[in-house]
Structures are given as C-alpha cells and as structure tokens.
Amino acid sequence: MNPASPRLNLHRTTSGAGPVLLMLHGVTRCGADWEPLLPVLAAHWQVIALDQRGHGTSPRAGSYLVTDYVADAVRFVREEVADSVVLFGHSLGAMVAAAVAAELPDRVRGIILEDPPFHTMGNRLAGSAWQAQFIGMRAAAQTGGSTDEITAVLAEIRLPTRDGGIQRLGELRDRASLAWSAQCLSRLDPAVLTPVIEGRWLDGYDFPSLLTGLLCPVLLLQADPSGGGALTDADAETLKSIASDCQHVRFPGCGHNLHRDRPEVVLRAFEIGRASCRE
C-alpha cells in the first residue's frame, strides 16, 4: 500500500446479493453521516461507508487536497472491493466519486453525485459565507471540548449575507444539525479545512476535463443554490453537457445536506437511477 494513502475506517452494512454501494461523505463529516439512508439502502445493496482521511476514526494525513481523497478511494476500490461498485458521494465525496469513476471506468457501474461544489469552493470561495463557516469550524475543531461546547461555538459563527449583513450559523441550522456537526468536528483533523479556506483544495482536480472519462450512468442531485446549495447551475449544466448519461434532479428549497435534511426525497430520487446502476 502506498504510505501516502492511509487505510481507511469503514462502516459496512451487508444484506446478501446486492451490488456494492460505496458511500463517500462530505468535508468535516464521517461515514456515519449516511445513517438516515442506511436502513433502506441496506435492503438492496452491500453498503460500505468510509471515513475519509482525517475524518472520523480514519488516520490523519499530511495532505488534504481533493486529489488525495481521490487517490484513497481509487486504492480502496482496487484493493478492497472484489466486484464492480456504485459510488454515492455528497459534496467532497461527490467530487471524489466523479474522479474515481473517470479513473476506473471498468470498476464503477454508476455514480450518484449529491450537490458537488466543484469550483464553488475553490476559485470562488474567498470572502463567501462558506469560507467564514469553514474558518469558524476549523477554530472549533482546534479548540475542542464537549459536544455541547462545540455546538455553542458553531451557533455563534458569523456569516456574511448577500445584502452585506451578518447572520449567525445558529439562525440557519437547528440545534440537532449543529450538534451532529459538533460530533463530527470532535473527531476531525483541523488541518482538513486549511486548503479549503486557503483556496488550494482543488489544486490538481481538473474539472471539467475529468468528466470526459465518465462512461457510467450519472445521477446528479442538486440542492437549491439560493438555499445554501453548493452546486451552481453553471457547473450542473457543464456536467450534463459532457457526461454521456446524466439524469439531473433539482431540490427547490433544500439546502446542501440533502440526505440528512430530506432523506425521503433523496431516496425517492435514488430510485430513478437504481435500475441503470444495477445493470
């Protein structure tokens, strides 16, 4: 094993003969972030949810670019999954899933991309509410404390609004959502967020060129950009224009964390692409 690619912790839910469904979480989260979907998915799939490097109980690492996460997932699919696989990624995990499918077209039979940020969190992050949120989250992870203490810190993160004002994160997300973020942050390497904050996260991640290698079916789930979604309409149209087989489902009024905030609608949309992914 490449020493730069750590052996990742995984949460495995098996139910027999279904295909392998590899779940890739977003930045600051962990494999357990998928729990709202797992009871339904496990009835049809062999589900594996990874803790990506620096997250959950997976090892901390020296570099946290998107391409590092891609290398980890490619190694995992090549070395630890015997059959072809379907990838379901959220945010960071969606960008990883797209790149893995392009690099391993003979191993990936389909991908579900939930609100991938692509260049929204790269070239256009500076000065945004996303950057302010990640700065506050890194500080909370560095300070640590109990879940309640981290939750209180998260609630007070100040985010710039489009009209020039300021809004607290606690005004946008309920306490249960903040508490789950706090649990994840308590196990996060704070260095994960440094390249995100500094705008280096996407270095070497060649969007949209990598999309030309996508040969499998793609199900693209887009949150509402006006409600906190990370995938822009322009990036969604770029993906649709290049991918050979892409179904696009929009979620008006829904924010970035679709699978936790609206698990029932995500599962309903998942059924749209399930047949083609299982072929």
Side-chain angles (χ1 to χ4, degrees):
M1 181 178 67
N2 186 333
S5 183
R7 185 163 296 278
L8 303 176
N9 181 57
L10 58 89
H11 309 262
R12 186 185 299 270
T13 304
T14 60
S15 61
V20 174
L21 180 64
L22 181 61
M23 314 287 283
L24 300 168
H25 63 79
V27 71
T28 76
R29 300 302 181 110
C30 63
D33 196 54
W34 296 104
E35 286 179 354
L37 306 185
L38 294 184
V40 173
L41 294 179
H44 304 285
W45 303 85
Q46 298 179 55
V47 180
I48 302 173
L50 293 180
D51 287 343
Q52 301 200 72
R53 61 167 59 201
H55 297 73
T57 57
S58 283
R60 299 189 175 196
S63 180
Y64 293 108
L65 302 181
V66 174
T67 53
D68 296 315
Y69 300 105
V70 171
D72 293 344
V74 166
R75 184 205 63 79
F76 186 86
V77 170
R78 280 177 170 161
E79 299 180 10
E80 301 191 41
V81 180
D83 301 316
S84 60
V85 63
V86 173
L87 304 176
F88 192 157
H90 171 238
S91 195
L92 160 64
M95 294 194 294
V96 172
V100 173
E103 186 167 341
L104 302 177
D106 58 330
R107 298 297 307 279
V108 179
R109 64 169 71 188
I111 55 176
I112 299 92
L113 308 181
E114 180 188 339
D115 211 40
F118 291 128
H119 282 53
T120 301
M121 289 187 186
N123 300 334
R124 301 190 290 273
L125 187 70
S128 69
W130 285 109
Q131 186 182 47
Q133 178 175 318
F134 288 135
I135 290 172
M137 285 182 162
R138 182 176 64 178
Q142 289 170 333
T143 302
S146 67
T147 298
D148 285 344
E149 289 169 335
I150 298 174
T151 300
V153 171
L154 293 179
E156 296 305 318
I157 293 176
R158 296 164 63 83
L159 309 175
T161 62
R162 294 181 180 180
D163 60 4
I166 295 292
Q167 195 167 32
R168 294 169 50 253
L169 185 59
E171 299 174 74
L172 300 173
R173 292 170 55 180
D174 62 29
R175 183 171 179 81
S177 174
L178 291 174
W180 174 241
S181 291
Q183 289 184 52
C184 294
L185 287 174
S186 70
R187 295 179 290 172
L188 180 78
D189 181 356
V192 161
L193 288 169
T194 297
V196 184
I197 293 164
E198 295 179 352
R200 299 183 290 105
W201 201 37
L202 291 171
D203 288 0
Y205 187 88
D206 191 12
F207 174 85
S209 295
L210 71 86
L211 299 179
T212 61
L214 287 180
L215 304 180
C216 64
V218 179
L219 177 61
L220 179 63
L221 310 180
Q222 184 182 9
D224 191 336
S226 66
L231 175 62
T232 64
D233 290 336
D235 284 347
E237 291 304 317
T238 296
L239 191 153
K240 289 164 59 180
S241 70
I242 298 174
S244 59
D245 180 2
C246 181
Q247 299 180 71
H248 181 201
V249 182
R250 298 176 184 269
F251 295 83
C254 296
H256 181 57
N257 296 310
L258 290 171
H259 66 280
R260 290 196 68 87
D261 296 341
R262 301 290 299 277
E264 70 288 347
V265 295
V266 169
L267 287 167
R268 194 176 307 127
F270 184 84
E271 288 298 314
I272 296 173
R274 186 163 72 119
S276 60
C277 287
R278 290 171 66 94
E279 289 177 353

